[in-house]
Amino acid sequence: EAGVTQSPRYAVLQEGQAVSFWCDPISGHDTLYWYQQPRDQGPQLLVYFRDEAVIDNSQLPSDRFSAVRPKGTNSTLKIQSAKQGDTATYLCASSSSDWGEQYFGPGTRLTVL
Amino acid sequence: GQQVQQSPASLVLQEGENAELQCNFSSTATQLQWFYQSPGGSLVSLLSNPSGTKHTGRLTSTTVTKERRSSLHISSSQTTDSGTYLCAPGSFNKLTFGAGTRLAVCP
């Protein structure tokens, strides 16, 4: 069974540029999560979906961040006008709502110069 | 919101020694996962243990739900165990992570 896949693995931007991250969850998992992990900290939840619906986006900086999961499978997280403070690893995870255990992808390491 | 404290923040062992990692959290949790993260690597789920004691390989986790604490015991440590161990209690599929315990196992 394939795990959670993410792309790209690395991204380097200048402040003000935009970037998109893509995630393909484990097949059959209806719940998908996006986390931000700053260096030397634990992951912090940004947003999560059940199927195509947003369940919680309270920690997503809505002025510059957006996330979609239009068909309830793959998902895209986008940052418009990136700031240096956005430098972090962006992790995607998925779970089955029946079991709840989360499985993580390899992450995208973002550096904003 | 949920607050998670992990201790110790860092730990250095000689290969073969045992490790005991602690996790305390502020709110009731119906889920709890322990994760391992290698330097620069992704998170690997080690155990899901919302209550009681659970074993897998050299790992033993004990969670006391009423006291809002969990521990992870690593027996006979190996150099390949080096990395960061993260505790994540949660409810309704929403986890909150601690800052982790950074473990270094020396040969």
Side-chain angles (χ1 to χ4, degrees):
Chain A
E1 181 182 274
V4 177
T5 56
Q6 291 185 246
S7 64
R9 293 297 312 277
Y10 302 93
V12 180
L13 306 174
Q14 297 290 333
E15 270 199 324
Q17 289 186 306
V19 63
S20 291
F21 310 132
W22 180 84
C23 174
D24 189 5
I26 291 172
S27 178
H29 281 189
D30 59 356
T31 308
L32 184 147
Y33 310 80
W34 284 103
Y35 290 86
Q36 181 191 61
Q37 186 176 23
R39 188 178 177 84
D40 295 330
Q41 296 183 34
Q44 298 156 12
L45 181 68
L46 292 173
V47 59
Y48 82 98
F49 298 86
R50 182 157 300 120
D51 299 319
E52 67 277 7
V54 173
I55 303 301
D56 186 339
N57 63 357
S58 59
Q59 300 304 310
L60 192 70
S62 58
D63 57 334
R64 297 184 299 108
F65 285 63
S66 61
V68 295
R69 192 185 185 201
K71 296 183 180 179
T73 52
N74 302 335
S75 177
T76 303
L77 176 70
K78 184 174 183 178
I79 306 176
Q80 294 185 337
S81 191
K83 298 181 178 180
Q84 288 187 352
D86 298 332
T87 294
T89 298
Y90 291 82
L91 296 163
C92 179
S94 70
S95 72
S96 165
S97 57
D98 292 338
W99 293 100
E101 189 167 342
Q102 294 187 24
Y103 296 89
F104 280 76
T108 297
R109 190 176 297 180
L110 173 67
T111 302
V112 184
L113 302 174
Chain B
Q2 180 75 274
Q3 304 292 320
V4 183
Q5 291 288 337
Q6 289 191 244
S7 60
S10 62
L11 185 60
V12 180
L13 299 176
Q14 291 294 317
E15 198 168 23
E17 292 183 325
N18 299 330
E20 187 83 13
L21 282 55
Q22 302 292 338
C23 175
N24 291 277
F25 44 98
S26 60
S27 304
T28 301
T30 57
Q31 297 169 265
L32 190 134
Q33 278 185 260
W34 282 94
F35 292 88
Y36 166 79
Q37 188 170 35
S38 61
S42 62
L43 275 75
V44 175
S45 180
L46 298 173
L47 284 167
S48 177
N49 186 30
S51 66
T53 299
K54 197 166 185 177
H55 305 274
T56 181
R58 294 181 293 108
L59 303 177
T60 301
S61 172
T62 299
T63 300
V64 184
T65 309
K66 288 184 179 179
E67 297 181 12
R68 297 190 297 277
R69 60 180 174 86
S70 182
S71 65
L72 181 69
H73 181 87
I74 306 172
S75 63
S76 304
S77 62
Q78 302 173 0
T79 56
T80 52
D81 294 333
S82 296
T84 300
Y85 291 78
L86 294 153
C87 169
S91 296
F92 303 106
N93 289 351
K94 187 175 173 181
L95 300 178
T96 302
F97 284 79
T101 293
R102 193 169 296 181
L103 175 65
V105 182
C106 303

